[in-house]
Amino acid sequence: MRPRTIVVILAVAVGLGLLTGRFILPAPSAPATPKVTPGAAASSPGNGSPTPRPASGPMTNRHLLTAAEFRKVGLSKRIYVRDRVGDGNYANATCTGEKTLGETLGAYDAHFRGLVTSKDTGHGDPTEAANIDDQVAREVADDAGSRALAQNFAERLLLEEVPCQSEPATHWIYGPTHTIDVAADITASWMGVYGGDLNTTGTAPRGKEPCGGVAILRNGSHYGVLEIDACLDTAAMTRIVRAAVTRL
């Protein structure tokens, strides 16, 4: 078709449009359907919780993990909370040296919290259950005075747990290190624990779920160690550790 003929046709179409008040335009193409991964929650930018700010200042009991978080992961028994301030063991195992926080870091006024399912405590420490089967978790935390020192303490505490990732067969063992980054200067590292029956090679078994574990927490100038004795799997451990470091 000649260019001159095309111009005439377009002019007529516009003229008819002016007379009828309607223009016939090509239908817009349908928008592309977004791909959604099955099981994934849709994100809502701007509608989520604000990003946590790193902690600073003295440690208080309100910075420690609560019993409510364990109910959210399915623990139905009543949990008693026991607090004290001072020195003592943390994630106390032979492979970590069985030292107190004061011996390791020189911190003698840390906050200790025990979460237990029995009112009976032993060894003169109210944060420890008399029967280990009644211990849900135990958290030890303090303020280092600066973010840099809190990072240093957290790194040292994590390194102390590493030997527990390699133990003779049939001995309980820690699995690989998992990292949770909530925000800048709010981070945690945790290792799941596996019973000796699952340790056949001197390292944690692959493809198996842990039964509790230990976490090293750092939030601003605060740092801590959380030992979870309740038999939690990977998903539950991740949720509890994230809640603990965010609260810290």
Side-chain angles (χ1 to χ4, degrees), residues 169-227:
T170 73
H171 190 283
W172 69 265
I173 195 167
Y174 283 150
T177 304
H178 304 266
T179 301
I180 299 174
D181 291 318
V182 177
D185 285 319
I186 304 178
T187 184
S189 298
W190 68 270
M191 306 171 185
V193 66
Y194 298 83
D197 59 321
L198 295 176
N199 175 14
T200 59
T201 62
T203 58
R206 294 184 178 182
K208 299 291 185 179
E209 287 294 328
C211 185
V214 64
I216 307 300
L217 318 171
R218 181 172 66 87
N219 186 327
S221 64
H222 295 176
Y223 68 95
V225 180
L226 174 64
E227 188 171 22

Side-chain angles (χ1 to χ4, degrees), residues 68-89:
E69 294 299 336
F70 287 93
R71 288 194 289 272
K72 293 177 183 178
V73 296
L75 270 67
S76 58
K77 284 188 176 182
R78 179 175 179 178
I79 298 175
Y80 300 92
V81 177
R82 300 286 184 264
D83 294 317
R84 73 176 180 85
V85 176
D87 188 22
N89 62 68

Side-chain angles (χ1 to χ4, degrees), residues 3-215:
R4 191 172 185 179
T5 305
I6 295 173
V7 171
V8 171
I9 292 173
L10 289 175
V12 172
V14 171
L16 290 174
L18 291 172
L19 290 174
T20 62
R22 297 174 59 195
F23 291 89
I24 302 174
L25 300 174
S29 58
T33 303
K35 295 181 179 180
V36 179
T37 302
S43 60
S44 301
N47 295 329
S49 301
T51 302
R53 298 181 61 182
S56 62
M59 174 70 58
T60 66
N61 288 345
R62 68 181 179 83
H63 293 110
L64 302 178
L65 192 63
T66 67
E69 294 299 336
F70 287 93
R71 288 194 289 272
K72 293 177 183 178
V73 296
L75 270 67
S76 58
K77 284 188 176 182
R78 179 175 179 178
I79 298 175
Y80 300 92
V81 177
R82 300 286 184 264
D83 294 317
R84 73 176 180 85
V85 176
D87 188 22
N89 62 68
Y90 55 96
N92 200 16
T94 303
C95 51
T96 62
E98 297 185 310
K99 294 180 291 186
T100 69
L101 200 62
E103 290 171 334
T104 301
L105 302 176
Y108 296 96
D109 294 310
H111 282 251
F112 288 70
R113 169 163 291 181
L115 297 113
V116 297
T117 57
S118 171
K119 294 183 178 180
D120 297 330
T121 58
H123 311 295
D125 188 337
T127 66
E128 294 182 334
N131 186 334
I132 187 60
D133 292 335
D134 297 327
Q135 192 85 39
V136 175
R138 190 164 177 266
E139 185 176 8
V140 183
D142 199 6
D143 175 46
S146 71
R147 296 187 188 185
L149 192 54
Q151 180 178 358
N152 176 275
F153 284 175
E155 290 173 352
R156 288 166 61 183
L157 291 169
L158 181 60
L159 285 174
E160 282 205 333
E161 304 294 340
V162 170
C164 302
Q165 292 177 313
S166 178
E167 290 289 336
T170 73
H171 190 283
W172 69 265
I173 195 167
Y174 283 150
T177 304
H178 304 266
T179 301
I180 299 174
D181 291 318
V182 177
D185 285 319
I186 304 178
T187 184
S189 298
W190 68 270
M191 306 171 185
V193 66
Y194 298 83
D197 59 321
L198 295 176
N199 175 14
T200 59
T201 62
T203 58
R206 294 184 178 182
K208 299 291 185 179
E209 287 294 328
C211 185
V214 64

